[in-house]
């Protein structure tokens, strides 16, 4: 497949970007969503740890796998690690339909997670939150954990989908929500409208 500017695929297909803390289960979710044969990694940015992977799915849309954040300790005064990752991507996409943010059911949302959600809301980017690894908790503990995440993030329960890449629970709901995102018009920077 042709690669524009040597770093990303041509922007011929709608794109969905995935973001979350390192180890949140992003690769596992991507693998659970897409049968291996159906996708091919088409391009990635140079660099070992900060690469962005682009997966073309069934020749119809692209999943953008942004690097996990929260691994390196970043000084308080420095910009959030995730912000430079997503900004680098946002500068060069005209095909974004939405962002999927992943959060581990066993962890309280971090300051990074919360700041990321706020940032996406400011930029008016349609955002879906997937709560990962729900198989790790029993029913009641899981309900409590999800409720806590909703309170901390201020999200409504319709905006989050509990999911397990291991059992497949929630997979169809996530896929359905992504299909809905894909049908929306491309995201544009709020400023571009003026
Ligand atoms: P990434 O760093 O966000 O891409 O995370 P990975 O997909 O590599 O997963 C990190 C770890 O969490 C691995 O050990 C996975 O096996 C585990 N993991 C991922 N998803 C699930 C899940 O749904 N359930 C359970 N129990 N473990 C998971």
């Amino acid at each position: 497949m042709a690669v524009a500017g040597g770093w990303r695929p041509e922007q011929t297909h709608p794109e969905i970007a995935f973001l979350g803390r390192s180890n949140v289960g992003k690769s596992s979710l991507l693998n659970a969503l897409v049968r291996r044969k159906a996708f091919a990694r088409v391009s990635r940015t140079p660099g070992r740890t900060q690469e962005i992977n682009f997966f073309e799915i069934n020749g119809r849309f692209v999943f953008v796998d942004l690097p996990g954040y929260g691994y390196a300790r970043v000084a308080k005064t420095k910009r959030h690690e995730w912000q430079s990752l997503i900004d680098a991507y946002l500068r060069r996409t005209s095909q974004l339909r939405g962002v999927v943010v992943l959060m581990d059911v066993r962890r309280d949302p971090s300051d990074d997670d919360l700041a990321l959600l706020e940032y996406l809301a400011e930029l008016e980017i349609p955002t879906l939150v997937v709560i990962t690894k729900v198989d790790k908790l029993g029913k009641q503990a899981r309900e409590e954990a999800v409720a806590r995440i909703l309170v901390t993030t201020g999200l409504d329960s319709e905006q989050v989908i509990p999911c397990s890449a291991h059992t497949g629970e929630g997979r169809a709901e996530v896929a359905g929500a992504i299909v809905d995102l894909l049908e929306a018009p491309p995201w544009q920077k709020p400023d571009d409208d003026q």
Side-chain angles (χ1 to χ4, degrees), residues 20-31 65 68 102 104 106 131-137 163-169:
R21 263 198 217 183
S22 303
N23 213 38
V24 71
K26 184 153 53 66
S27 318
S28 304
L29 179 71
L30 285 166
N31 284 326
D65 182 10
L102 289 85
D104 188 324
R106 299 164 307 163
I131 300 181
T132 61
K133 310 188 191 181
V134 294
D135 61 282
K136 293 228 184 203
L137 296 180
C163 181
S164 165
H166 284 193
T167 66
E169 183 185 343

Side-chain angles (χ1 to χ4, degrees), residues 66-82:
L66 294 163
Y69 56 78
Y71 194 66
R73 278 249 158 265
V74 181
K76 277 232 167 74
T77 47
K78 246 181 115 182
R79 289 168 90 213
H80 289 287
E81 190 186 358
W82 51 260

Side-chain angles (χ1 to χ4, degrees), residues 2-3 11 33 42 47 63-64 70 76 81 98 100-101 103-104 128 136 147 157 167 174 179 191:
V3 175
Q11 305 195 35
L33 283 174
V42 290
F63 281 171
V64 182
K76 277 232 167 74
E81 190 186 358
V100 179
V101 174
M103 292 187 191
D104 188 324
L128 174 70
K136 293 228 184 203
S157 54
T167 66
V174 174
V179 167
D191 287 349

Side-chain angles (χ1 to χ4, degrees), residues 46-77:
R48 259 173 309 171
T49 55
Q50 296 297 287
E51 63 189 23
I52 300 176
N53 288 303
F54 295 85
F55 298 100
E56 189 184 278
I57 318 292
N58 292 333
R60 292 177 46 216
F61 51 91
V62 171
F63 281 171
V64 182
D65 182 10
L66 294 163
Y69 56 78
Y71 194 66
R73 278 249 158 265
V74 181
K76 277 232 167 74
T77 47

